[in-house]
Amino acid sequence: MKEQFLYEIKKLLKQRFRDSQEQRVLNSYDAMNRMILPDAVAEPVTEEEVASIIMLCAGFRVPVVPRGAGCGFSGGALPVRGGLVLNLSRMNDIVIDRDNLVAEAGPGAVTADVHKAAEAVNLFYPPDPASMAVSTIGGNIAENAGGPRAAKYGVTKEYVLALRVVLADGSIRTFGRPLRKDVAGYNLAPLFVGSEGTLGVITRVWLKLLPKPEAALSSILSFDTALSAARAISAIVAAGLNPSRLEIMDSFCIQSLKEAGHNIDGDPGAVLMVEVDGDAVQLPGQLNRIREVAKKHGLLSFRQAGNEAENEKIWELRRSLSPIINSFGDTKMNEDVVVPRSGIPELFSFVEQLRKKSGLTIVCFGHAGDGNIHVNVMYNAATPDIEEKVETTLHQLFEKVVAMGGSISGEHGIGIAKQRFMRHQFSEAELALMRRIKQVFDPLNLLNPGKILPEPEKTE
Amino acid sequence: MKEQFLYEIKKLLKQRFRDSQEQRVLNSYDAMNRMILPDAVAEPVTEEEVASIIMLCAGFRVPVVPRGAGCGFSGGALPVRGGLVLNLSRMNDIVIDRDNLVAEAGPGAVTADVHKAAEAVNLFYPPDPASMAVSTIGGNIAENAGGPRAAKYGVTKEYVLALRVVLADGSIRTFGRPLRKDVAGYNLAPLFVGSEGTLGVITRVWLKLLPKPEAALSSILSFDTALSAARAISAIVAAGLNPSRLEIMDSFCIQSLKEAGHNIDGDPGAVLMVEVDGDAVQLPGQLNRIREVAKKHGLLSFRQAGNEAENEKIWELRRSLSPIINSFGDTKMNEDVVVPRSGIPELFSFVEQLRKKSGLTIVCFGHAGDGNIHVNVMYNAATPDIEEKVETTLHQLFEKVVAMGGSISGEHGIGIAKQRFMRHQFSEAELALMRRIKQVFDPLNLLNPGKILPEPEKTE
């Protein structure tokens, strides 16, 4: 970084400009488990500061990488071309507009704090990524985060009413309005959702809230095989039973949980966690209808939560899965493929084939109710020739998923983790169009460069 | 149109290329009541034909204006620069994917037919514009149509999963996928929703369906004044009572309905039509809670529908309003402003001020539950100096609405009807960004040219 740039940015941010080794390390990773050091870190507290930083960076051609809590799985927050990490975690205020059912927040507001603020006035912000205790709302929007409740309520993009964004030239613009309806001009706010900070820096968000459902009731269903459970999921969806959460875990997950001391009845091939929400009196009946459907597909046991604490325990168990399966290897390729919900049995059969063909441990769990399955290839990196085998297996997985009409990512985003798989889903012409959009918003390619889009020429 | 172009397009479309005076007239209007003749009309039946037409038009620099049923209010379907109207009404097939809760349709599919197809398998497509008996799904998407059920269920954009679009260069591209989750690459499908055919021609759509609510129950509430009714609306919303439809009509509407022979009890200042949906047993209780809130705000009477036929009758009454108020003048400026829902009383007070100041008849009705009010300025065009007075009044209305954090259009779109008001809502820099987006998709400016964006220089 040039002297003049350092002089200007230190004058602007004082001690909130940080280039100590410690601070660089703290801002060098996300949940992808790869460390890339930024040259420095900025901790703005206002939109105007963000705008000034972006203008300085544009003038000195310094890449800028926005960062929330650094818990993404795709490397979206990693400064792959160096430059400045813009740590937005101080911009974390939350204002609830009770009368209009809207939450307004800074990008650094923690997702769980948005939940709490809404629920304190009997409102409801549905998106619930597993990392919600630490993840930020700005990061959730940048990656279009999902979560179990997407089964019924959809993902983050369905709740973003408006965004204030600092563009690459330092201008501060608002896209959308916190209204239920607005059709004036082009619909640009959704373009920023899932754009991973490559089109602008989100500095303010307005989210749609819903009335809080009166109650929720969960249950655990165990099945003889993963394929049975997958068939039950498709049947539950097709029957229009609309569970608020519908998650699966396979026998590898069950084994990990048992080894970690959790109590799981019997020796099932797979377990579903199912929640319904709405009017309290209706819920046992709804769960019963789900149970009836499941009985036709190899249901072994059904256990309903007796109270709210038991309900919450089921979902804590679910959120603990991602770290707990690390017992299967020191390295995890955590993919989050999506298929049409009727295709879940086919996906599970295909993963079983991949296991047999490759000999790899592949652990599946996730948001079955919306077709989004976490397929985790677990291995020890020191094993000879393993990386190549894993890579081949992943390409086979993505090829299959796209052929089924699915997507290579449901909620983790592309970042750097999945760039090399983008051509399974998109043609060169489609990628070229995305590059033209990037060019409109960021002609100098300084906003989180090197993410999402693979290089124009086929070099892989 | 050049001879060579005519030769090529006739070869392509045979008798589905039409340039008779009759066919040009039939494709020259929408609900804006302005006639602009196209040079000719094309009636494609496949995406490949659409692509061939677009390529021909690009080669010969012929403007192309996509058209559904021609029932928009903003002139979106009018060929203001001449050229070819692309009448898509023959591409109207509908396929319901029951297992995945998805409707797939041609752009010419009639909205009500999508409703019927979904409901036949116990699914539900919520958006219900008043014109749904004739409007097409392609037109609904191009204008991002709303309707009463937007109060609970949101507008068209919230149901568009994926679109196939013919771009300006004739390439056929799919944006999005019919999945509940997909975060691979930029989120481009929403950009086409509400873009009025200016970025591409929609040739195939995939829509999200919901399980059909078990039942719906409606009621009519009358109030002493429009302001009381407006306050009741804001209170109902703030109480989180989440009606599936919540509509208002003012005393002018009531007068028109009475003159047309409809039975309205007493002489109220305004009427609310309220529907709740969900589990049948819960509905009377939900309506009662709404009634309790309304009692605090000048409720005069409350009547609940006794059966499904009475329920439907209430909504037929509502749909009849737009044409019936024509008794107040031969010319109608039908605006569809939006304000935050807590601001509805303030909007009604402001409209009352406008009435007094201008002496104009201003009739209000509409989708109060989502903040979207149809403000109709009614007049006889032959009245001396009236147009200027109407124009001044409209500018005052839009200025107020935007100052309240609202929008100049909630569901009708901009087209040519509201271009001159766009600068109330958008800065020059914001309009310039929209022009750059248009430039990316349509560099020759042949796709529905002259719509949405006002001319770059201030010439008004």
Side-chain angles (χ1 to χ4, degrees), chain A residues 177 182 186 198 238 341 406-407, chain B residues 98 100 177 182 186 198 406-407:
Chain A
R177 301 201 153 209
D182 178 13
Y186 289 136
T198 63
R341 290 173 286 184
S407 173
Chain B
R98 179 71 192 79
N100 289 299
R177 300 201 155 209
D182 178 14
Y186 290 136
T198 64
S407 173

Side-chain angles (χ1 to χ4, degrees), chain A residues 293-347:
Chain A
V293 171
K295 275 183 184 169
K296 295 178 194 147
H297 298 279
L299 180 68
L300 295 178
S301 75
F302 173 94
R303 191 162 55 81
Q304 184 173 310
N307 53 44
E308 208 168 309
E310 271 182 51
N311 213 52
E312 196 39 43
K313 223 171 158 183
I314 291 174
W315 299 104
E316 275 168 25
L317 195 73
R318 164 64 187 85
R319 283 192 288 272
S320 72
L321 272 182
S322 186
I324 224 168
I325 61 168
N326 290 344
S327 58
F328 288 106
D330 61 19
T331 307
K332 168 162 66 179
M333 297 305 282
N334 172 1
E335 306 306 338
D336 68 318
V337 300
V338 189
V339 294
R341 290 173 286 184
S342 62
I344 294 173
E346 185 179 343
L347 178 67

Side-chain angles (χ1 to χ4, degrees), chain B residues 48 50-60 166-171:
Chain B
E48 290 67 29
V50 174
S52 300
I53 294 166
I54 297 289
M55 276 189 274
L56 266 179
C57 288
F60 288 90
V166 176
L167 295 179
D169 62 359
S171 57

Side-chain angles (χ1 to χ4, degrees), chain B residues 324-444:
Chain B
I324 225 168
I325 62 168
N326 290 345
S327 58
F328 289 106
D330 60 19
T331 307
K332 169 162 66 178
M333 297 304 282
N334 173 1
E335 307 305 340
D336 69 316
V337 299
V338 190
V339 293
R341 290 173 288 183
S342 62
I344 295 172
E346 185 179 344
L347 178 67
F348 271 82
S349 296
F350 183 78
V351 169
E352 184 55 29
Q353 285 174 38
L354 285 182
R355 281 191 194 104
K356 285 183 183 150
K357 204 157 53 175
S358 67
L360 290 164
T361 301
I362 307 177
V363 182
C364 291
F365 64 87
H367 315 307
D370 51 32
N372 180 204
I373 306 288
H374 293 294
V375 178
N376 298 273
V377 181
M378 307 299 307
Y379 61 101
N380 290 312
T383 316
D385 303 329
I386 189 92
E387 304 273 359
E388 199 182 330
K389 188 188 279 182
V390 170
E391 190 73 4
T392 303
T393 301
L394 291 180
H395 276 288
Q396 288 167 343
L397 173 69
F398 290 127
E399 190 178 17
K400 174 71 177 176
V401 160
V402 172
M404 288 176 68
S407 173
I408 64 173
S409 180
E411 53 182 26
H412 294 169
I414 302 302
I416 55 171
K418 292 190 198 69
Q419 272 173 322
R420 65 194 190 283
F421 306 121
M422 283 286 277
R423 289 193 169 88
H424 284 293
Q425 190 161 338
F426 298 103
S427 67
E428 288 303 319
E430 288 168 331
L431 294 172
L433 179 58
M434 291 185 199
R435 274 185 213 102
R436 293 217 297 279
I437 296 291
K438 167 75 170 167
Q439 178 76 17
V440 166
F441 286 93
D442 183 22
L444 298 174

Side-chain angles (χ1 to χ4, degrees), chain A residues 111-129:
Chain A
T111 313
D113 292 341
V114 175
H115 287 158
K116 280 179 215 148
E119 286 166 25
V121 291
N122 213 26
L123 294 176
F124 182 47
Y125 176 66
D128 58 345

Side-chain angles (χ1 to χ4, degrees), chain A residues 270-308:
Chain A
V271 161
L272 294 187
M273 288 156 282
V274 184
E275 182 194 72
V276 291
D277 69 357
D279 293 306
V281 294
Q282 305 284 323
L283 302 182
Q286 283 181 43
L287 275 189
N288 200 47
R289 274 185 280 168
I290 287 169
R291 182 187 193 164
E292 290 305 315
V293 171
K295 275 183 184 169
K296 295 178 194 147
H297 298 279
L299 180 68
L300 295 178
S301 75
F302 173 94
R303 191 162 55 81
Q304 184 173 310
N307 53 44
E308 208 168 309

Side-chain angles (χ1 to χ4, degrees), chain A residues 97-102 123 143-155 157-158 161 167 172-175 177-188 190-196 198-199 208-211 214 234 237-242 279 281-282 286 289 336 338-343 367 369-372 401-403 405-414 422 424-427 429-430 433-438 440-441 451-453, chain B residues 97-102 123 143-155 157-158 161 167 172-175 177-188 190-196 198-199 208-211 214 234 237-242 279 281-282 286 289 336 338-343 367 369-372 401-403 405-414 422 424-427 429-430 433-438 440-441 451-453:
Chain A
D97 178 352
R98 178 70 191 79
D99 290 347
N100 288 300
L101 285 67
V102 171
L123 294 176
E143 301 290 342
N144 192 11
R149 288 200 291 237
K152 178 172 180 178
Y153 292 102
V155 296
K157 71 176 169 190
E158 291 167 66
L161 295 171
L167 296 180
I172 302 174
R173 300 257 176 274
T174 307
F175 298 102
R177 301 201 153 209
L179 302 166
R180 290 290 282 179
K181 285 181 173 175
D182 178 13
V183 297
Y186 289 136
N187 182 19
L188 294 173
L191 196 52
F192 291 90
V193 184
S195 69
E196 305 190 6
T198 63
L199 302 179
K208 178 170 79 173
L209 302 177
L210 302 179
E214 188 183 298
S234 294
V237 170
L241 294 172
N242 212 16
D279 293 306
V281 294
Q282 305 284 323
Q286 283 181 43
R289 274 185 280 168
D336 68 318
V338 189
V339 294
R341 290 173 286 184
S342 62
H367 315 308
D370 51 32
N372 180 204
V401 161
V402 171
S407 173
I408 64 173
S409 180
E411 52 182 28
H412 294 170
I414 302 302
M422 283 286 276
H424 284 293
Q425 190 161 340
F426 298 103
S427 68
E430 288 168 331
L433 179 58
M434 291 186 198
R435 275 185 212 104
R436 294 218 296 281
I437 296 290
K438 167 75 170 169
V440 166
F441 286 93
K451 302 293 168 69
I452 303 179
L453 297 167
Chain B
D97 178 352
R98 179 71 192 79
D99 290 347
N100 289 299
L101 285 68
V102 171
L123 294 176
E143 301 291 343
N144 191 11
R149 288 199 291 239
K152 179 172 180 178
Y153 292 101
V155 298
K157 71 176 168 189
E158 292 166 65
L161 295 171
L167 295 179
I172 303 174
R173 299 258 176 275
T174 307
F175 298 102
R177 300 201 155 209
L179 302 166
R180 291 288 284 178
K181 285 179 171 174
D182 178 14
V183 297
Y186 290 136
N187 181 19
L188 293 172
L191 196 53
F192 291 90
V193 184
S195 70
E196 305 189 6
T198 64
L199 302 180
K208 178 171 78 174
L209 301 177
L210 302 179
E214 186 184 301
S234 294
V237 170
L241 293 172
N242 212 15
D279 292 307
V281 293
Q282 306 282 323
Q286 282 183 43
R289 274 185 280 167
D336 69 316
V338 190
V339 293
R341 290 173 288 183
S342 62
H367 315 307
D370 51 32
N372 180 204
V401 160
V402 172
S407 173
I408 64 173
S409 180
E411 53 182 26
H412 294 169
I414 302 302
M422 283 286 277
H424 284 293
Q425 190 161 338
F426 298 103
S427 67
E430 288 168 331
L433 179 58
M434 291 185 199
R435 274 185 213 102
R436 293 217 297 279
I437 296 291
K438 167 75 170 167
V440 166
F441 286 93
K451 301 294 168 67
I452 304 180
L453 297 166

